[in-house]
């Protein structure tokens, strides 16, 4: 029987931040269940739910929590499979408090902690799928196909260049980063500086990123302005 994934959160209010986990698992056609149970407010319910997970065929647990964020640690103390924690920005500390609570686990109780909020939720789903893929060839192929589909060629997003002698390149890792760079592009346009926008992620598409930098050098690019959010 194929392993499934449990997505846990301490409150229904956490679901909007955890929804990217469900979307990526849907895309990969991996079964999952969602459980709302608090490590602090419903500890007995949480314990009973967790202790039966492995026997029910759950191969990984993803826990989203904010503030004190002990849910992943409580799960890891009982569950013998991989536990992945998603810090949620529920207080004025914007998820840093939750992240520290998750990464500072004692020896012998490992918890894999990803980024804060929706980016972390998406990565948690992909990481859980990768865990299942170690033992299931079909899942591994789906994960590989998904990752390959995310790789983009660094084709210019929008060109303001009238010559091959490009003066400036504006590079964003994500679409939102390219939008942010339009402020810089506006100033370059006013100054009459030839420039192009590119969208390529140096971590997701390292080969494409290297190809882009070589192209820029060959075209005589004088300056590159880069924008990136997470793992900048």
């Amino acid at each position: 029987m194929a392993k499934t994934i449990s997505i846990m959160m301490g409150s229904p209010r956490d679901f909007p931040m955890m929804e990217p986990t469900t979307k990526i698992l849907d895309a990969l056609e991996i079964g999952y269940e969602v459980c709302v149970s608090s490590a602090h407010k419903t500890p007995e319910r949480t314990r009973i739910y967790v202790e039966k997970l492995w026997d029910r065929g759950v191969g990984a647990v993803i826990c989203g929590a904010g503030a004190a964020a002990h849910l992943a640690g409580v799960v890891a103390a009982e569950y013998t499979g991989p536990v992945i924690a998603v810090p949620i920005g529920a207080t004025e500390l914007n998820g840093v408090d939750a992240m520290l609570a998750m990464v500072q686990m004692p020896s012998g109780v490992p918890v894999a902690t990803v980024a804060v909020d929706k980016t972390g939720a998406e990565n948690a789903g992909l990481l859980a799928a990768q865990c299942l893929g170690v033992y299931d060839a079909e899942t591994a192929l789906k994960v590989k196909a998904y990752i390959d589909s995310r790789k983009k060629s660094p084709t210019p997003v929008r060109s303001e260049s009238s010559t091959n002698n490009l003066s400036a390149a504006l590079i964003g890792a994500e679409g939102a980063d390219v939008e942010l760079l339009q402020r810089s592009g506006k100033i370059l346009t006013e100054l009459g500086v030839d420039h192009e926008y590119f969208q390529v992620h140096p971590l997701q598409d390292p080969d494409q990123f290297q190809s882009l930098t070589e192209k820029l050098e060959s075209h005589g690019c004088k300056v590159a302005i880069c924008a990136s959010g997470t793992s900048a």
Side-chain angles (χ1 to χ4, degrees), residues 30 54 138 140 145 230:
I30 294 175
W54 188 259
E138 183 178 353
T230 56

Side-chain angles (χ1 to χ4, degrees), residues 12-34:
R13 295 190 300 272
D14 298 332
F15 184 76
M17 286 300 175
M18 296 299 294
E19 190 173 11
T21 304
T22 66
K23 289 184 176 180
I24 192 169
L25 294 178
D26 285 337
L28 294 170
E29 299 179 326
I30 294 175
Y32 62 88
E33 60 188 50
V34 177

Side-chain angles (χ1 to χ4, degrees), residues 49-89:
Y49 173 76
V50 171
E51 69 181 5
K52 299 177 181 178
L53 286 177
W54 188 259
D55 291 338
R56 291 200 294 107
V58 173
V61 181
I62 299 170
C63 299
H70 294 142
L71 182 59
V74 168
V75 172
E78 297 285 345
Y79 177 70
T80 56
V83 177
I84 303 167
V86 181
I88 294 177

Side-chain angles (χ1 to χ4, degrees), residues 125-194:
L126 186 56
L127 179 56
Q130 290 173 321
C131 291
L132 299 192
V134 172
Y135 302 101
D136 183 81
E138 183 178 353
T139 299
L141 288 174
K142 290 178 180 178
V143 171
K144 184 180 186 305
Y146 177 83
I147 292 175
D148 288 345
S149 71
R150 295 287 297 269
K151 295 180 179 179
K152 305 181 184 70
S153 173
T155 303
V157 175
R158 181 162 61 86
S159 176
E160 301 290 346
S161 176
S162 58
T163 174
N164 287 330
N165 294 321
L166 185 65
S167 297
L170 291 82
I171 308 171
E174 306 286 351
D177 302 327
V178 175
E179 293 178 7
L180 181 64
L181 286 169
Q182 290 181 8
R183 295 186 179 183
S184 300
K186 182 179 180 181
I187 294 175
L188 294 176
T189 299
E190 293 174 353
L191 294 173
V193 177
D194 294 327

Side-chain angles (χ1 to χ4, degrees), residues 90-125:
T91 71
E92 62 274 11
L93 295 179
N94 298 319
V96 175
D97 45 358
M99 180 178 65
L100 292 175
M102 291 167 172
V103 300
Q104 296 285 16
M105 291 299 297
S107 175
V109 191
V111 168
T113 305
V114 293
V116 176
D117 287 343
K118 292 184 177 182
T119 296
E122 180 178 346
N123 281 341

